[in-house]
Amino acid sequence: MLHLVWLVPFFPLVGFLINGLLRKQLSKSLISIIGSGMVLASFVVSVLLFTEVKNGNTYVANLFDFISYGTLSIPFAFQIDQLSSLFLLIITGVGFLIHVYSAAYMHEEREEHYGRYFAYLNLFVFSMLLLVLGANYVIMFIGWEGVGLCSYLLIGYWFKNVEYGNAAKKAFIMNRIGDLGFLIAIFWLLAKLGTVTYTTADGGGVFDLYQKLTKTDIIGITMLLFVGATGKSAQIPLYTWLPDAMAGPTPVSALIHAATMVTAGIYMIARSNILYTMAPQTQSVVAAVGLATALFAATIAIKQNDIKKVLAYSTVSQLGYMFLGLGVGAYTGAVFHVMTHAFFKALLFLGAGSVIHAMHHEQDIRKMGGLSKKLPITHATFLVGCIAIAGIPPLSGFFSKDEILAFAYAKDPLYYYLGVAGAAMTAFYMFRLYFTTFRGTFRGTEEQKHHLHESPAAMTIPLIVLAILAIVGGFIGIPESIMPDAHKLEQFLDPIFQKSNEIKMAALPDHHTEMYLMVISVVLALVMITIAWVKYPKRPELNEPAGFGKVLADKWYIDELYNYAIVKPLQWLSRFMNNFFEKKVVDGMVNGVGRLVNYTSRQVRLLQSGLVGNYVLLMVLSMLAFFVVKFFIKK
């Protein structure tokens, strides 16, 4: 079965080609069947591959030579092991549910646009599968750039809207900044090791030869890889593109935030874990940036009133926790949080889409309220997502978040206390969102109230499935302090992180301390939920930003700062280069050469007078000049 690993990305690629090329000829139902069916086929193959890996079998499929020059050989190869097989299940499983949901959510689109949408979705899934399956950094980088392209296409899907187009460009350009760091790291590895393949049977891979790298090399390479991760996974300072990515259709937001693109940076660092373990300085930077991002984004989410913007900043914050986990050596915890986050964040985004669908595209939570009776399934599943992300046991978010916080405490108690503060804010802003949207009285228009209805089955069934996963998903990672030998995910991923654990075992606090830490985080979350419950259902006017709340609502004015410090100077420089340097200097030089040639030609043509005497005189003068030059050369 492992030899058929190439089928996993092949199916979405076929779906992209069929729907993309035949979008004007196919019906909507056929387009959605092809788009969803191809991802389902990939999921089925992924399940079979996961079963093989779980039985102890791994495989590297060398499909063909991609780059071969001298001693350099970079194959187009796929690696199926514990880490990649787990990500395959997340990408194809959650991706399939989002495709099914999209079939109902986007039903009002015209056929050609509907086909374009599903073609882009399939290409997005294909690119992400390429990223996680690549057996070397070059194939990973191809998939890395592919998801960047697809994010641009999908965020700007409604391309006639200038604002949406600007959001797509912002995402594309900001990701290119990070991608440059990734690219330089690849060249650095090639220069020092002559390979970018992860590992080989003869011990010639990056993770086999890392001891040949100097300390400076390892720190430089890991820092550059982290620069790439900050762009793709929206960390400070390259995070501002992600909230603007809400310009795309809501299922796209779910796909970007939950199943694909933003988890790429986590995957890349987890895959490169041995290099980061050998660079504790870089790990400290990763942990600090992750923790700062988690707190910063959480403060912004507290005062957002756009239902999708709250979830967007929530994603940025949760990604920060994943990087905190990577920085303190909790590699399994970070991957665990990727998985649980995929469940509850996809659930929350699709639940938000169901609300927006019922409210006729209204996204301001101040104009909602009291939706629990009209949207019972959406309400129940959205509540499950809120409880999961708040870290309330026994839902999935509790297990993965507290594993990261426990490792953070072992590394530095300050990390833990700041992390718990961020988790408390998470519980507060998510239940502020929940109570304002679903509780209290309805604050929309009479027309909206009259048309309120539950979403169709194609939208509610994915919500129910994701809600179930959000409830039970954490049970594969029950900590030792609660139940010995119950952390199945840690046992499964042990071969991936074995070298790192042997070099520097990340120690958890003792069981008593770990239980105490869990109680603190849960109690704080419950207190914050209670505060939100008391304040917002009956007093929705508290959502109006005032005082310092306006600073948070305006996102600490970071976008304005970037605009004045970076965008406007670049625009001024561009205008200067265009109006002065291009037109005066470059064009002046080119036009000057042309004018000089014209002038010289006009003067030289006067020598052609047609008088024989003038020609004889010119010949004599030329011979005289020739003899004079020869005389001086001999001297």
Side-chain angles (χ1 to χ4, degrees):
M1 189 65 223
L2 293 174
H3 293 276
L4 299 178
V5 62
W6 58 273
L7 285 174
V8 179
F10 176 74
F11 285 126
L13 180 61
V14 171
F16 159 70
L17 294 173
I18 294 174
N19 281 334
L21 295 174
L22 304 177
R23 64 188 183 279
K24 295 183 180 180
Q25 286 76 40
L26 301 176
S27 66
K28 286 185 180 180
S29 57
L30 191 55
I31 287 170
S32 58
I33 289 171
I34 293 171
S36 304
M38 290 301 178
V39 180
L40 177 61
S42 289
F43 175 69
V44 171
V45 178
S46 297
V47 171
L48 297 173
L49 292 173
F50 180 81
T51 305
E52 290 281 346
V53 173
K54 197 169 182 294
N55 291 332
N57 302 314
T58 59
Y59 182 64
V60 176
N62 290 304
L63 303 182
F64 55 87
D65 285 338
F66 184 61
I67 298 175
S68 183
Y69 180 77
T71 59
L72 174 64
S73 177
I74 301 176
F76 197 97
F78 293 152
Q79 180 167 320
I80 185 71
D81 59 12
Q82 290 79 6
L83 187 62
S84 59
S85 63
L86 180 66
F87 270 80
L88 291 187
L89 291 182
I90 296 171
I91 295 163
T92 57
V94 178
F96 168 66
L97 294 175
I98 292 171
H99 276 69
V100 172
Y101 181 97
S102 294
Y105 190 86
M106 302 294 289
H107 72 279
E108 294 179 0
E109 294 290 304
R110 293 189 353 227
E111 276 83 356
E112 61 267 30
H113 296 310
Y114 192 79
R116 177 168 61 90
Y117 172 80
F118 271 93
Y120 289 167
L121 279 190
N122 277 181
L123 184 62
F124 206 152
V125 172
F126 163 76
S127 299
M128 191 64 191
L129 292 172
L130 203 63
L131 189 156
V132 300
L133 279 174
N136 57 66
Y137 284 107
V138 170
I139 305 305
M140 179 193 281
F141 189 73
I142 295 172
W144 190 275
E145 292 301 296
V147 293
L149 168 64
C150 293
S151 69
Y152 168 77
L153 296 172
L154 285 166
I155 294 168
Y157 170 75
W158 288 304
F159 54 85
K160 292 184 179 180
N161 186 309
V162 175
E163 185 181 345
Y164 294 175
N166 289 335
K169 287 188 288 185
K170 184 177 183 179
F172 190 79
I173 293 168
M174 196 163 278
N175 271 275
R176 299 291 74 71
I177 297 170
D179 294 352
L180 177 62
F182 191 176
L183 193 60
I184 295 172
I186 292 175
F187 285 120
W188 198 329
L189 283 169
L190 283 172
K192 292 296 181 178
L193 299 179
T195 183
V196 288
T197 299
Y198 303 144
T199 185
T200 60
D202 59 358
V206 172
F207 305 151
D208 306 310
L209 304 174
Y210 67 90
Q211 292 177 328
K212 291 186 177 181
L213 297 170
T214 65
K215 186 176 181 180
T216 302
D217 289 334
I218 293 181
I219 293 174
I221 290 167
T222 51
M223 285 296 292
L224 287 167
L225 289 174
F226 179 57
V227 169
T230 58
K232 198 66 69 185
S233 296
Q235 298 296 286
I236 292 174
L238 301 177
Y239 73 93
T240 57
W241 69 268
L242 192 57
D244 287 8
M246 299 301 97
T250 302
V252 171
S253 303
L255 194 62
I256 291 176
H257 286 242
T260 57
M261 186 169 168
V262 295
T263 62
I266 316 298
Y267 173 82
M268 184 256 284
I269 294 180
R271 174 63 74 187
S272 312
N273 65 88
I274 185 61
L275 298 180
Y276 281 85
T277 301
M278 297 299 292
Q281 298 87 348
T282 306
Q283 277 194 307
S284 297
V285 172
V286 172
V289 170
L291 186 56
T293 304
L295 291 169
F296 190 71
T299 62
I300 297 174
I302 286 173
K303 279 296 179 181
Q304 298 304 303
N305 290 315
D306 183 316
I307 188 170
K308 289 173 67 175
K309 284 289 180 72
V310 177
L311 298 178
Y313 281 105
S314 166
T315 298
V316 177
S317 182
Q318 294 304 306
L319 288 167
Y321 280 105
M322 297 173 205
F323 278 102
L324 172 62
L326 295 170
V328 299
Y331 297 115
T332 300
V335 174
F336 189 16
H337 203 53
V338 167
M339 185 193 75
T340 60
H341 180 262
F343 298 153
F344 58 69
K345 187 50 64 66
L347 169 61
L348 289 167
F349 264 111
L350 297 185
S354 182
V355 170
I356 294 167
H357 181 265
M359 291 288 296
H360 290 271
H361 307 291
E362 178 60 65
Q363 296 183 198
D364 193 332
I365 61 174
R366 292 171 294 186
K367 299 177 182 178
M368 299 178 187
L371 299 182
S372 58
K373 295 178 182 178
K374 295 290 185 178
L375 310 175
I377 298 176
T378 301
H379 162 250
T381 53
F382 198 91
L383 178 59
V384 168
C386 289
I387 297 172
I389 195 173
I392 305 300
L395 274 70
S396 58
F398 163 76
F399 295 103
S400 56
K401 179 204 68 179
D402 276 82
E403 181 172 343
I404 291 172
L405 291 177
F407 274 94
Y409 182 85
K411 182 74 173 180
D412 187 338
L414 180 62
Y415 284 167
Y416 169 80
Y417 294 121
L418 292 175
V420 165
M425 283 190 282
T426 301
F428 177 76
Y429 67 69
M430 285 307 305
F431 276 88
R432 165 186 173 268
L433 172 63
Y434 165 75
F435 286 122
T436 305
T437 304
F438 291 99
R439 296 297 182 179
T441 57
F442 184 71
R443 298 178 297 278
T445 65
E446 284 300 319
E447 183 181 356
Q448 288 174 328
K449 185 176 182 180
H450 179 70
H451 289 97
L452 280 176
H453 62 280
E454 184 59 272
S455 298
M459 294 171 65
T460 56
I461 291 174
L463 291 177
I464 294 169
V465 173
L466 287 168
I468 294 170
L469 291 172
I471 292 170
V472 305
F475 292 126
I476 66 168
I478 300 175
E480 289 281 324
S481 57
I482 296 177
M483 186 181 298
D485 298 322
H487 203 311
K488 301 301 180 184
L489 184 63
E490 183 178 37
Q491 298 166 16
F492 178 70
L493 293 175
D494 182 64
I496 302 296
F497 305 128
Q498 185 176 8
K499 283 186 179 180
S500 292
N501 291 335
E502 289 174 354
I503 293 170
K504 187 178 180 181
M505 186 67 183
L508 279 168
D510 61 79
H511 292 346
H512 177 75
T513 303
E514 188 177 358
M515 292 293 291
Y516 175 71
L517 298 176
M518 289 181 190
V519 170
I520 290 176
S521 66
V522 173
V523 169
L524 278 175
L526 290 173
V527 169
M528 289 299 172
I529 292 171
T530 304
I531 293 173
W533 179 36
V534 171
K535 289 179 67 173
Y536 290 102
K538 296 180 181 179
R539 298 186 63 192
E541 69 275 6
L542 292 172
N543 286 300
E544 297 294 337
F548 184 66
K550 195 171 187 313
V551 176
L552 300 182
D554 290 330
K555 304 161 287 188
W556 293 90
Y557 303 106
I558 296 298
D559 282 284
E560 289 78 4
L561 175 63
Y562 284 2
N563 191 47
Y564 282 107
I566 300 172
V567 177
K568 285 188 179 298
L570 282 174
Q571 289 176 340
W572 179 87
L573 179 62
S574 299
R575 287 193 296 268
F576 171 78
M577 296 296 286
N578 178 60
N579 297 331
F580 177 77
F581 189 78
E582 175 71 20
K583 293 180 179 177
K584 302 295 184 183
V585 179
V586 177
D587 281 357
M589 290 174 61
V590 173
N591 294 334
V593 170
R595 284 193 292 269
L596 178 62
V597 170
N598 282 334
Y599 174 78
T600 305
S601 300
R602 285 197 302 271
Q603 302 309 311
V604 172
R605 71 184 176 84
L606 298 176
L607 297 175
Q608 297 290 339
S609 62
L611 299 175
V612 176
N614 288 348
Y615 295 162
V616 172
L617 175 62
L618 184 62
M619 183 176 66
V620 171
L621 292 174
S622 299
M623 292 175 64
L624 180 62
F626 175 76
F627 286 123
V628 170
V629 170
K630 291 289 289 182
F631 174 78
F632 279 107
I633 288 176
K634 286 182 179 180
K635 287 288 186 179

